Amino acid sequence: MSITVGEVIAVRGTQVTLRIYDESSLETLFFEGKEYKGVSIREYIGIKRGFCQIVCIVEGEYLDENRFEIDDIKKKYIRKVDVKPIGYFEQASFSDGVKLMPMIKDKAQLLNENQLIKVFSQSADGSFKIGKMLKEELPVSLPWQRIFNSHIGIFGNTGSGKSNTLTKLYTELFNQYEARLSGKSEFLLIDFNGEYTGNQLIKDIENKTVFNLSTKRQSDKKIPLQSKQVWNTEMLALLFQATSNTQTPFLNRVVSKREAHSSNVNSLKDYVMSTYHLCFVNPDQRPEFLIQLKIIAKHLGNQALIDRLDEVFWYDREDKFASKIPGSGNWRWYDSNDGFNDNLRPLIEAVDTTIISEFDELVIRINIQMLRDLTYGYIQFDHIQPLLKRVESAISDLNKVFIIVGDDVNHYKLLNVVSLRNCNQVVKKLVPLLLAKMFYQNHRESVGTVPEKTLHFIIDEAHNILSQQSSREHESWKDYRLEMFEEIVKEGRKFGMYLTLSSQRPADISPTIMSQIHNFFIHRLVNDKDLFLIDNTISTLDRMSKSMIPNLSKGSCVLTGTAFDLPIVMQVDFISEKGLRPDSDDVDLEALWGVTQPEPAE
């Protein structure tokens, strides 16, 4: 039983008009101990059709003259509303879509709270709740199985509550299923503003690791980066913006030379020794070689070798390298085997190349390759020298945030937060790309036809790295970065890898990426470009929900996508405990400035 509030008076396609009875125009009604919402815009109403009840949403209302009841004093008006069918109840079970259409004189009834919860709560167990319906204030259980099995977009202007939504969504997931997720899923969160480095998201802090990166100093905890990601010609060419005709083939020779002698643990020391011998003993010596030889010595970390090279200078009269022995008038000569063996070989032999970091090894091998190519006439110095400058700059930053590890060991936990708050712009672009490439390739290679493990890549403030508008970087670099994430968003689902993107400027994000997002949490957006993108990208968003987006209050959002049978406008629960919510609260100027509000006048 329910309250009958009107009847069908017109049906035009999927647009239905109801005549509402005069006594039914209250905000709230009670019947048999149950609360019912009155008939108003965006409320839901049922139309009885046989044994089914057609569920409709109210889209508009107006007054019409009652031409059948006119007295001598005044005319009376009747209230009419336009509704649209969105689903139906059959045997107490709700299904979305249009199966039946009402007929003239069918009775319209109010839906009680239990019916509304059935319409919008789509979780199988009814337990995954992060908020309430905005108008009805009823708790909504979300279909978490279909949300986290998809690419997710959380969009909204700054201060609209999107960080709270992201945190609430994953906090609820870990609160309920943390024990089951261990060993079966990995979560990687790219945090540009350092908002999630505390106790947010997960209860068991042992399952969370935070990489608080900095380019101002050596990071306390560096990101483990697999060796194969470093010794990769394609990646090196992108990192160092190498030209395709000369610098990329040069880097390929560096990588190939290392691979060819990978079985020899002393290959680097032998390579250094033979290169120094070539540069000092070769009849065709060049003064510019000394700069590169000093760089090699610096990255070898042998102070005795560095000191010896600081003494060396170019002796113009003989066209060769020489140095004076401190405290005497004697000379050291390096242009013969005996001179080299006496003055340089012992210093190089003392170097332990097995403890040198692979970033240092990369710089050493690049400089060695240039010296050898110059000696044999394969390259011109002016073509490679700009590359060396970029290598030195990039390696300096990479060495502060990455540590090279083996390829077979997993160094990550269930939840991994990478904070880029204290990093420069270069590293902020670099780290997400390297991590995405490494995690995606490893995950794709490790899973079978039916993935037994999932990988969830979460990017807060995603416009920082997925924007097509950026003009501060090399075009090939930007293209590769976007293509990498576009491949993940297009192909990752079949391998069990999913993206969650949070951004205040969805219009800046690549349209290819936006078109592949399955489910959306849309907070307040007011920019015309953002609204146009939402309007043309999301096919599941109805006209009324779209019109609400520019006026949503803080914490309110529209949920729509493949996981939702119907768009839902809801208020996400605010995380009241400060230590558990993201560090993105507005500044309290009253407390900061010590201003107190004046007492109201009596």
Side-chain angles (χ1 to χ4, degrees):
M1 294 290 294
S2 184
I3 303 177
T4 300
V5 292
E7 62 182 9
V8 178
I9 60 172
V11 180
R12 305 175 186 87
T14 58
Q15 194 68 44
V16 180
T17 303
L18 305 178
R19 174 180 179 269
I20 302 300
Y21 300 151
D22 292 341
E23 64 273 15
S24 301
S25 297
L26 300 176
E27 181 181 357
T28 306
L29 297 95
F30 293 90
F31 180 71
E32 295 184 350
K34 294 181 180 180
E35 181 181 354
Y36 295 82
K37 292 290 183 181
V39 182
S40 61
I41 299 296
R42 292 200 68 257
E43 290 292 354
Y44 299 91
I45 200 166
I47 300 176
K48 197 69 176 173
R49 174 104 289 265
F51 293 102
C52 295
Q53 190 176 31
I54 303 169
V55 178
C56 302
I57 183 172
V58 179
E59 292 190 323
E61 63 174 308
Y62 57 96
L63 290 176
D64 198 4
E65 286 188 21
N66 186 344
R67 298 181 181 277
F68 304 99
E69 299 179 13
I70 302 176
D71 57 29
D72 296 335
I73 302 174
K74 62 180 180 179
K75 295 181 180 179
K76 294 183 179 180
Y77 294 88
I78 60 174
R79 182 186 178 205
K80 296 181 180 179
V81 297
D82 291 330
V83 301
K84 183 180 72 173
I86 58 173
Y88 58 94
F89 279 104
E90 191 171 23
Q91 297 180 350
S93 178
F94 176 77
S95 301
D96 69 303
V98 179
K99 179 180 179 180
L100 302 170
M101 288 298 295
M103 297 179 65
I104 302 295
K105 291 291 184 179
D106 282 347
K107 301 302 180 183
Q109 301 173 331
L110 296 180
L111 300 181
N112 59 45
E113 289 187 354
N114 291 333
Q115 289 176 309
L116 285 174
I117 290 174
K118 286 184 179 180
V119 170
F120 291 101
S121 290
Q122 302 163 46
S123 175
D125 55 11
S127 63
F128 196 86
K129 299 172 182 176
I130 66 169
K132 299 179 180 180
M133 294 177 65
L134 181 63
K135 190 170 184 180
E136 292 80 4
E137 297 184 351
L138 300 175
V140 181
S141 181
L142 304 183
W144 64 267
Q145 304 94 327
R146 290 191 283 168
I147 292 176
F148 294 106
N149 195 27
S150 70
H151 302 307
I152 304 170
I154 303 174
F155 303 118
N157 293 146
T158 180
S160 61
K162 64 182 183 302
S163 294
N164 183 76
T165 297
L166 174 65
T167 306
K168 185 65 179 177
L169 188 65
Y170 279 95
T171 297
E172 191 68 22
L173 176 69
F174 288 123
N175 282 349
Q176 295 194 30
Y177 306 108
E178 182 178 341
R180 302 182 186 181
L181 294 174
S182 296
K184 298 179 181 178
S185 295
E186 268 186 341
F187 296 80
L188 179 65
L189 171 59
I190 304 297
D191 181 9
F192 280 94
N193 297 323
E195 297 177 8
Y196 304 91
T197 56
N199 297 323
Q200 298 89 350
L201 302 175
I202 199 164
K203 284 183 177 178
D204 187 356
I205 204 67
E206 293 299 318
N207 282 330
K208 178 180 179 180
T209 184
V210 175
F211 300 99
N212 212 336
L213 306 183
S214 174
T215 51
K216 302 173 185 176
R217 52 177 173 77
Q218 288 289 333
S219 301
D220 296 331
K221 191 170 188 178
K222 300 181 182 180
I223 302 176
L225 182 65
Q226 290 178 330
S227 178
K228 64 183 179 182
Q229 302 297 333
V230 177
W231 299 103
N232 180 288
T233 302
E234 182 183 38
M235 183 55 67
L236 292 178
L238 285 162
L239 292 180
F240 307 139
Q241 300 181 22
T243 58
S244 58
N245 293 333
T246 56
Q247 295 174 358
T248 299
F250 170 80
L251 291 172
N252 189 53
R253 290 196 294 275
V254 174
V255 174
S256 300
K257 187 71 175 179
R258 182 179 186 270
E259 291 177 353
H261 300 89
S262 58
S263 59
N264 180 7
V265 294
N266 291 316
S267 65
L268 180 59
K269 180 184 288 187
D270 295 342
Y271 204 24
V272 170
M273 186 73 76
S274 62
T275 302
Y276 271 77
H277 185 274
L278 179 67
C279 293
F280 279 99
V281 181
N282 180 20
D284 183 23
Q285 296 180 35
R286 305 184 190 184
E288 61 266 23
F289 284 180
L290 187 58
I291 297 175
Q292 265 55 56
L293 292 171
K294 287 183 177 181
I295 291 174
I296 294 171
K298 171 188 169 186
H299 287 274
L300 286 172
N302 185 285
Q303 191 59 47
L305 181 58
I306 295 171
D307 292 341
R308 178 60 51 83
L309 291 177
D310 285 340
E311 299 171 2
V312 174
F313 61 91
W314 180 252
Y315 191 49
D316 291 325
R317 187 178 299 176
E318 298 286 342
D319 283 342
K320 59 183 179 183
F321 293 112
S323 65
K324 283 188 176 183
I325 301 175
S328 72
N330 297 325
W331 291 75
R332 287 192 180 106
W333 302 99
Y334 304 90
D335 59 327
S336 66
N337 286 329
D338 290 342
F340 181 82
N341 292 338
D342 291 341
N343 299 310
L344 279 178
R345 184 177 292 275
L347 301 177
I348 300 174
E349 286 286 1
V351 176
D352 185 0
T353 55
T354 61
I355 62 173
I356 292 175
S357 76
E358 293 193 38
F359 283 129
D360 285 324
E361 182 184 352
L362 177 60
V363 177
I364 291 169
R365 287 185 175 275
I366 286 176
N367 281 276
I368 285 176
Q369 191 67 48
M370 193 192 76
L371 290 171
R372 287 178 168 271
D373 286 356
L374 284 172
T375 301
Y376 298 130
Y378 293 158
I379 60 171
Q380 294 184 26
F381 180 76
D382 292 342
H383 292 166
I384 304 300
Q385 195 265 348
L387 174 67
L388 298 184
K389 297 295 184 183
R390 293 195 293 271
V391 169
E392 279 286 333
S393 175
I395 291 298
S396 175
D397 287 335
L398 291 174
N399 213 15
K400 293 175 182 175
V401 299
F402 284 112
I403 182 171
I404 307 300
V405 296
D407 296 337
D408 302 323
V409 181
N410 185 8
H411 298 267
Y412 295 89
K413 296 183 180 180
L414 174 61
L415 174 62
N416 308 277
V417 177
V418 179
S419 172
L420 301 175
R421 179 173 183 169
N422 297 316
C423 295
N424 59 32
Q425 289 298 325
V426 173
V427 169
K428 285 182 177 181
K429 302 279 186 181
L430 204 61
V431 169
L433 174 61
L434 287 173
L435 290 178
K437 186 174 185 295
M438 180 176 69
F439 273 82
Y440 177 59
Q441 287 182 346
N442 291 343
H443 186 76
R444 185 176 59 183
E445 292 167 3
S446 65
V447 300
T449 307
V450 179
E452 297 178 351
K453 186 175 182 179
T454 62
L455 176 61
H456 303 262
F457 202 85
I458 308 162
I459 309 176
D460 194 21
E461 307 297 347
H463 51 273
N464 285 313
I465 56 169
L466 300 181
S467 173
Q468 286 190 319
Q469 315 300 322
S470 175
S471 58
R472 295 177 296 185
E473 53 194 339
H474 198 276
E475 280 299 319
S476 61
W477 166 260
K478 182 169 69 175
D479 291 345
Y480 185 86
R481 174 168 46 80
L482 290 176
E483 286 169 7
M484 181 77 252
F485 283 98
E486 286 172 0
E487 180 181 350
I488 291 173
V489 81
K490 288 188 290 187
E491 307 295 336
R493 184 187 57 81
K494 67 183 71 169
F495 303 114
M497 182 170 180
Y498 307 103
L499 284 179
T500 297
L501 307 179
S502 173
S503 175
Q504 53 188 271
R505 285 308 311 273
D508 282 354
I509 296 177
S510 160
T512 302
I513 294 174
M514 286 294 297
S515 68
Q516 297 299 318
I517 293 177
H518 304 115
N519 293 295
F520 296 84
F521 293 72
I522 308 171
H523 290 263
R524 182 181 67 249
L525 290 169
V526 296
N527 185 276
D528 288 341
K529 290 184 178 179
D530 295 329
L531 294 171
F532 179 80
L533 177 77
I534 294 297
D535 192 28
N536 287 273
T537 302
I538 308 176
S539 59
T540 56
L541 196 59
D542 63 85
R543 177 172 56 85
M544 289 186 63
S545 299
K546 288 177 187 176
S547 66
M548 294 183 66
I549 292 174
N551 302 304
L552 289 171
S553 59
K554 185 174 183 177
S556 302
C557 65
V558 178
L559 280 62
T560 186
T562 57
F564 306 98
D565 297 330
L566 301 167
I568 304 173
V569 182
M570 71 179 300
Q571 179 75 32
V572 179
D573 291 340
F574 178 69
I575 302 174
S576 57
E577 189 173 338
K578 185 173 178 60
L580 300 181
R581 64 176 182 259
D583 298 328
S584 59
D585 291 354
D586 295 335
V587 176
D588 186 347
L589 291 181
E590 287 184 20
L592 180 65
W593 293 343
V595 178
T596 57
Q597 293 293 334
E599 293 291 333
E602 295 183 359

